Amino acid sequence: MDATVGIDLVARARAIAPLIAGEAGEIERTRRLTPSVVDALIGNGLYRALLPQSLGGSEAPPDIFMQMLEEIAKADASTAWCLGQNSVCAMIAAALDHETAHEIFNTAPGILAWGAVAHEARAVEDGYRVTARWDFASGSRQASWLGAHVRIANADGTPRKTADGAPEMRTILFPLASAVMHDVWQAIGLAGTGTDSYEVKDLFIPDRFAVFRDVPSALREPGPLYRLPTGSTYSLGFAAVSLGVARATLDAAIALARAKHQSLAASAMRDNQAVQGLIGRTEGDLRAARAYLYATANAMWRDLSATGTFSPAHRSAVRLAATWTIQQSAKVVDTAYHMAGATAVFRSNPFERRFRDMHAITQQIQARDTHYEDEGKAILASGVDAGR
């Protein structure tokens, strides 16, 4: 793999960040990424970060993907969230035949979005038929294709099972024009993601557009990236988004402290020892969270690249690191927000939107407290030193 391509993604993200920051207010107001932002993301190849190189993508390793999202998140969380969602969706290309993948991803704009796992598709001759509605399709307003993760039913309506007796799940893919979009995303944070619902009625899905997701035996691409489950990739990506939001919010608080005089006091905020100590501790917390996340991601990637296997231990480590990083990032944002005082409540300042965005991120599945319970249960059951 050409590492230069991946590294360039981070530089490109950094280069267009000022444009995105300038559009952030309009993104918030319209609840959509603006055309100029989408054009910049497409033109710089950022949507293709995780697309196979055989299709003209970067097939970037996780740490490059994460750094790219961090840079975008510093400018606008909604843009980074959509980019992360659409980028991971593109990993499904590794399970498609080349002609089908080319049709989806190499026809402009070549963006795929999907929502939550729900409903079923019924097997018919040469494909499937489905009538359903799905929610939480971040990035769908920029997409040209949609997907859905469904259970498969036989022609007689009975559930189709896999060899091990589990319900058969497939990801069906269809053009955006085949669906009806529902504008439902009225949220306190990540307002610009357009995380709307979509619906199809009696839609026929040809066999080649109904594939297995996160099933190693179904892969058509040899790269180790596609052995990494999409759920774990989402966790790493969205944790990186949270780091970018936290970094930008803390930087804004530091800039404010350098310039602001406290009310009823002649001294500058930067000279206040309590403020100095708070900034120092918070900076340490943020650096520690970032180091932990990247160390976990890099250790997993080394093992996965060497063995070709994503193990339960990898899954557990990624989930724990991502959950903790998102929650730690939220604490950093809260500290910076409170440090800014009354300044933080005005929309003209870079605090209140990031505060809302960060707390929308903490409500996502990747930040659930139950992940700690799962990890604790695994540690107690293993009988192995958890630090190994």
Side-chain angles (χ1 to χ4, degrees):
M1 185 183 299
D2 183 359
T4 305
V5 175
I7 293 171
D8 190 47
L9 287 174
V10 182
R12 292 180 185 186
R14 192 176 296 120
I16 65 173
L19 166 68
I20 296 170
E23 295 285 296
E26 185 69 3
I27 290 170
E28 171 89 3
R29 187 186 70 80
T30 62
R31 298 180 295 114
R32 302 284 187 275
L33 303 193
T34 62
S36 60
V37 165
V38 175
D39 287 347
L41 295 172
I42 293 173
N44 284 278
L46 302 194
Y47 281 115
R48 303 168 73 82
L50 303 182
L51 192 68
Q53 288 190 359
S54 65
L55 290 164
S58 293
E59 201 170 326
D63 68 321
I64 297 298
F65 171 60
M66 293 157 64
Q67 290 178 62
M68 177 187 78
L69 291 183
E70 271 194 273
E71 294 299 328
I72 300 299
K74 292 173 188 176
D76 179 59
S78 288
T79 302
W81 191 269
C82 288
L83 178 60
Q85 174 81 7
N86 298 137
S87 296
V88 177
C89 290
M91 294 174 70
I92 199 71
L96 295 167
D97 69 77
H98 193 80
E99 180 181 347
T100 301
H102 180 78
E103 179 179 347
I104 294 171
F105 295 104
N106 288 338
T107 302
I111 299 171
L112 170 67
W114 58 45
V117 178
H119 307 298
E120 70 175 27
R122 183 167 295 198
V124 296
E125 186 177 0
D126 298 324
Y128 304 87
R129 285 203 173 271
V130 61
T131 296
R133 175 171 169 167
W134 299 272
D135 301 317
F136 300 110
S138 296
S140 55
R141 296 299 180 169
Q142 296 81 55
S144 46
W145 284 75
L146 295 173
H149 317 299
V150 296
R151 298 180 300 275
I152 298 299
N154 294 311
D156 62 2
T158 58
R160 183 184 289 177
K161 303 289 186 178
T162 61
D164 61 2
E168 181 176 309
M169 302 289 297
R170 288 181 181 255
T171 297
I172 57 174
L173 306 171
F174 46 90
L176 178 74
S178 299
V180 174
M181 299 298 300
H182 297 280
D183 186 349
V184 299
W185 188 246
Q186 302 280 349
I188 65 165
L190 297 176
T193 59
T195 303
D196 290 320
S197 300
Y198 56 109
E199 182 178 15
V200 299
K201 293 183 178 179
D202 195 31
L203 180 65
F204 175 68
I205 308 293
D207 280 324
R208 69 190 179 102
F209 292 104
V211 297
F212 292 107
R213 180 177 69 141
D214 297 333
V215 177
S217 61
L219 291 172
R220 298 167 182 258
E221 289 286 336
L225 178 64
Y226 305 108
R227 302 278 172 170
L228 178 60
T230 52
S232 296
T233 314
Y234 278 129
S235 292
L236 292 172
F238 293 147
V241 171
S242 74
L243 287 173
V245 175
R247 179 73 271 166
T249 313
L250 182 56
D251 284 350
I254 292 169
L256 180 68
R258 286 171 177 158
K260 184 177 181 179
H261 280 69
Q262 295 172 302
S263 59
L264 305 179
S267 62
M269 191 175 173
R270 66 177 180 270
D271 296 325
N272 185 301
Q273 290 182 335
V275 171
Q276 294 166 352
L278 188 58
I279 287 175
R281 286 191 295 272
T282 307
E283 180 68 32
D285 290 341
L286 181 55
R287 293 186 193 184
R290 188 176 191 276
Y292 173 34
L293 181 69
Y294 277 86
T296 301
N298 289 334
M300 175 276 295
W301 182 244
R302 285 193 300 271
D303 287 350
L304 177 57
S305 297
T307 66
T309 300
F310 184 83
S311 69
H314 291 146
R315 187 186 305 274
S316 179
V318 166
R319 184 167 54 192
L320 179 61
T323 303
W324 189 83
T325 297
I326 293 171
Q327 295 188 2
Q328 192 66 28
S329 294
K331 292 178 181 178
V332 170
V333 170
D334 288 353
T335 298
Y337 180 86
H338 289 298
M339 192 188 310
T343 301
V345 304
F346 292 99
R347 291 186 181 273
S348 58
N349 290 308
F351 293 98
E352 68 88 25
R353 187 182 73 247
R354 288 172 178 147
F355 180 87
R356 290 186 287 105
D357 287 342
M358 186 68 247
H359 283 278
I361 293 172
T362 63
Q363 298 302 105
Q364 304 296 321
I365 190 172
Q366 288 81 14
R368 285 180 178 172
D369 277 342
T370 53
H371 294 164
Y372 294 128
E373 297 173 14
D374 293 340
E375 179 66 12
K377 180 179 179 180
I379 292 170
L380 291 170
S382 69
V384 176
D385 183 351
R388 292 184 183 177

